[in-house]
């Protein structure tokens, strides 16, 4: 069985099996156009794809996978420096773009050749299934420290993850998957495109993830990030239109509890939350037939193991209170960073576990709650270890708070002081009131030492707050 089993037949086909930004195609048409890409890409070191939310992106990605060539998605809004780094680092000399476009004079001068993607192209050639250990993707991380690193994702990891998610979410060919997420990340591309091409479900990519587009798509399975779900929850008409869906899945960042509760109230469906990384794909999720607990990402997927460790590397108790670094092991993990042995050495333990760099709490029942990144979300203040996520959740419970982000600021006395950046939701509220509000709900040492009221929080394309920019706000 190949990676993209729905393209092998047996699932039926229809003219709108895939709809991307309003353009429909059958799986047969997708396979023919992708085969034409595969014929040109075969033998290349890598195939870069300008990953706009369009049908040509899907065709190019599938073409690279058919040819057994690692696919390197390029964010369409990447600047010249970032794009040049990814092309150079990955070794890609082919850049798939919609027919009629070129790579640009600068990239052509560097030996980058355009591979035009034509939706009407056809190939009847047969392509042998590449070995499972071959790379399916080289996905570049956000590069919060230094240049972005290329995570090499084997085909076997993609298959294992999609099969585990299909089991957890009861995802079948009877579903219609709807989302409008970027096609250069795990969430939108691996889950949101390859998931449909492996399970046989119909796919509707809305181009942009607006509440109206989601409401009009009439899907049974929806993917979104917290920003998307927050906007849906604020649009009562759109939210109620999703009441016929089977699952609403949220990921890429924690879903605020008030958004979870409002979605559940308006749609009659409590959202599914899941956790993963570029390097690990999705490893933890709540289940279609299980409890969906606000603020929790649920249980490890089939085949995945997790553990909490302290700063000394020793095991920590799974008692629902202790905060520690989350480490994972299992078949969904990446093969390593491309040409970065020093980064690999830092990322793996001696006994073969991947250091996620995230901090979490695991309960006695196995449910996981992600606190955030160890570098910015684990605050060490006055000898206490404080998870920023817990303080953020408490702040969001205040009726005058629309959003909040918490960081640790350098402090001569405490080491780090808890600082909250808060977006007010109408009405007057002061920092003193919010500090008192948190102190009534959490331990006193977790209260913010300073509250900064802001109009908005800086976020990336997936809705994650860029916390390192917050301290520059004052």
């Amino acid at each position: 069985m190949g990676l993209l089993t729905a393209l092998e037949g047996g699932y039926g086909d229809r003219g709108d099996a895939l709809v991307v930004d309003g353009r429909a195609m059958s799986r047969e048409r997708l396979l023919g156009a992708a085969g034409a890409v595969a014929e040109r890409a075969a033998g290349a070191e890598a195939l870069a794809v300008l990953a706009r939310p369009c049908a040509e992106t899907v065709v190019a990605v599938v073409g690279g996978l058919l040819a057994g060539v690692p696919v390197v998605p390029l964010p369409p809004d990447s600047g010249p420096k970032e794009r040049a780094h990814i092309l150079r680092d990955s070794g890609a000399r082919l850049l798939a773009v919609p027919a009629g476009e070129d790579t640009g004079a600068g990239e052509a001068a560097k030996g980058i050749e355009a591979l035009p993607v034509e939706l009407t192209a056809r190939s009847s050639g047969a392509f042998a299934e590449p070995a499972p250990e071959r790379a399916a993707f080289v996905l570049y991380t956000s590069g919060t420290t230094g240049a972005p690193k290329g995570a090499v994702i084997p085909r076997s990891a993609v298959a294992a993850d999609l099969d585990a998610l299909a089991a957890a979410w009861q995802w079948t060919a009877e579903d219609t998957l709807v989302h409008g997420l970027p096609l250069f990340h795990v969430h939108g591309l691996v889950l949101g495109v390859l998931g449909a091409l492996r399970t046989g479900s119909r796919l509707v990519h809305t181009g942009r993830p607006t509440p109206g587009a989601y409401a009009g798509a009439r899907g049974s399975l929806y993917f979104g990030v917290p920003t998307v779900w927050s906007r849906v929850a604020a649009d009562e008409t759109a939210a109620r239109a999703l009441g016929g869906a089977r699952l609403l899945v949220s990921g890429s960042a924690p879903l605020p509890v008030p958004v979870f509760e409002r979605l559940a109230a308006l749609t009659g469906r409590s959202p599914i939350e899941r956790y993963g990384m570029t390097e690990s794909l999705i490893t933890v999720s709540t289940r279609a037939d299980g409890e969906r607990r606000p603020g929790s990402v649920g249980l490890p997927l089939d085949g995945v193991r997790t553990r909490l460790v302290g700063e000394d590397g020793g095991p920590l108790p799974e008692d629902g209170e202790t905060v520690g670094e989350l480490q994972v092991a299992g078949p969904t993990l990446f093969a390593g960073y491309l040409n970065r042995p020093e980064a690999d050495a830092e990322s793996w333990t001696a006994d073969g576990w991947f250091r996620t760099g995230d901090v979490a709490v695991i309960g006695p029942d196995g449910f996981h709650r992600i606190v955030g990144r160890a570098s910015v979300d684990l605050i060490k203040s006055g000898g206490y270890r404080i998870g920023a996520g817990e303080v953020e959740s408490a702040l969001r419970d205040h009726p005058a708070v629309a959003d909040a982000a918490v960081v640790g600021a350098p402090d001569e006395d405490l080491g780090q002081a808890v600082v909250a950046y808060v977006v007010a939701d109408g009405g007057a509220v002061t920092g003193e009131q919010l500090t008192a509000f948190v102190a009534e709900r959490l331990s006193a040492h977790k209260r913010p030492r300073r509250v900064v009221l802001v109009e908005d929080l800086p976020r990336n394309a997936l809705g994650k707050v860029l916390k390192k920019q917050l301290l520059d706000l004052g």
Side-chain angles (χ1 to χ4, degrees):
M1 182 175 70
L3 176 60
L4 307 179
T5 51
L7 297 181
E8 298 173 5
Y11 288 88
D13 203 357
R14 49 190 286 181
D16 62 349
L18 293 95
V19 180
V20 183
D21 199 18
R23 299 167 73 180
M25 68 174 70
S26 66
R27 296 191 190 99
E28 180 183 12
R29 182 182 174 196
L30 167 63
L31 185 59
V37 171
E39 289 176 346
R40 290 196 57 189
E45 184 175 347
L47 172 64
V49 177
L50 186 59
R52 296 193 185 109
C54 62
E56 286 87 352
T57 295
V58 175
V59 168
V61 169
V62 172
L65 295 174
L66 290 176
V69 173
V71 174
V72 183
L74 281 175
D77 60 350
S78 57
K81 184 176 180 180
E82 180 184 0
R83 183 178 297 193
H85 166 74
I86 293 174
L87 291 171
R88 180 178 63 253
D89 190 70
S90 67
R93 292 294 175 264
L94 286 176
L95 174 56
V97 295
E101 295 187 17
D102 58 30
T103 61
E107 285 160 2
K110 298 183 181 76
I112 307 300
E113 178 186 354
L115 193 162
V117 179
E118 178 58 67
L119 299 183
T120 59
R122 290 292 178 270
S123 169
S124 57
F127 301 90
E129 179 68 18
E133 65 271 14
R134 283 188 63 85
F137 296 98
V138 179
L139 298 175
Y140 278 79
T141 62
S142 57
T144 53
T145 56
K149 301 187 294 289
V152 180
I153 314 296
R155 299 172 74 93
S156 59
V158 175
D161 202 53
L162 293 178
D163 289 347
L165 288 172
W169 298 343
Q170 300 176 1
W171 186 1
T172 73
E174 301 302 314
D175 280 306
T176 292
L177 168 63
V178 177
H179 74 92
L181 302 175
L183 297 184
F184 49 90
H185 287 293
V186 167
H187 197 168
L189 180 58
V190 179
L191 276 63
V193 174
L194 301 196
L197 296 179
R198 187 164 178 85
T199 63
S201 68
R202 182 169 175 258
L203 168 64
V204 177
H205 189 287
T206 59
R208 295 180 62 243
T210 64
Y214 272 37
R218 301 184 181 278
S220 60
L221 175 61
Y222 285 82
F223 291 169
V225 297
T227 300
V228 172
W229 291 125
S230 177
R231 291 170 181 171
V232 170
D235 186 330
E236 183 172 343
T237 300
R240 292 194 183 281
L242 301 189
R246 192 174 60 80
L247 291 182
L248 310 177
V249 179
S250 183
S252 299
L255 183 67
V257 172
V259 177
F260 181 108
E261 293 174 342
R262 182 164 173 81
L263 275 176
L266 292 175
T267 67
R269 301 284 184 269
S270 294
I272 289 279
E273 293 191 69
R274 88 304 180 279
Y275 165 79
M277 299 178 64
T278 300
E279 294 89 343
S280 68
L281 304 182
I282 309 306
T283 51
V284 183
S285 180
T286 48
R287 302 301 201 262
D289 58 356
E291 181 184 359
R292 306 175 197 178
R293 190 179 300 168
S296 170
V297 293
L299 304 165
L301 297 178
D302 293 344
V304 173
R305 294 173 291 150
T306 64
R307 69 184 185 188
L308 287 183
V309 300
E311 292 180 355
D312 61 356
L316 293 177
E318 298 180 359
D319 55 10
E321 295 290 338
T322 303
V323 178
E325 182 198 358
L326 181 66
Q327 297 181 351
V328 299
T332 70
L333 293 179
F334 74 139
Y337 295 109
L338 186 66
N339 302 322
R340 297 289 294 272
E342 74 290 347
D344 287 341
E346 294 173 358
S347 299
W348 298 86
T349 65
D351 56 349
W353 290 70
F354 176 65
R355 298 183 172 106
T356 67
D358 286 325
V359 286
V361 174
I362 303 177
D365 57 1
F367 266 64
H368 290 52
R369 179 167 56 82
I370 305 301
V371 175
R373 296 297 292 171
S375 58
V376 293
D377 292 310
L378 181 59
I379 302 169
K380 300 172 186 177
S381 181
Y384 294 101
R385 292 159 59 90
I386 302 166
E390 184 178 18
V391 184
E392 290 164 355
S393 294
L395 286 165
R396 292 189 189 107
D397 284 340
H398 192 287
V401 172
D403 205 354
V406 169
V407 299
D411 185 271
E412 290 185 1
D413 179 42
L414 298 170
Q416 287 183 305
V418 178
V419 178
Y421 294 83
V422 173
V423 180
D425 184 16
V429 66
T430 66
E432 291 78 8
Q433 290 170 332
L434 293 176
T435 295
F437 184 82
V438 173
E440 291 172 357
R441 286 154 178 78
L442 303 177
S443 301
H445 65 268
K446 297 179 181 178
R447 71 190 187 280
R449 300 288 175 153
R450 184 159 60 94
V451 175
V452 181
L453 296 176
V454 296
E455 292 186 1
D456 204 358
L457 299 174
R459 297 179 183 274
N460 66 12
L462 289 180
K464 294 183 180 179
V465 176
L466 301 173
K467 291 197 170 184
K468 291 187 177 181
Q469 295 183 12
L470 286 175
L471 291 174
D472 295 335
L473 299 178

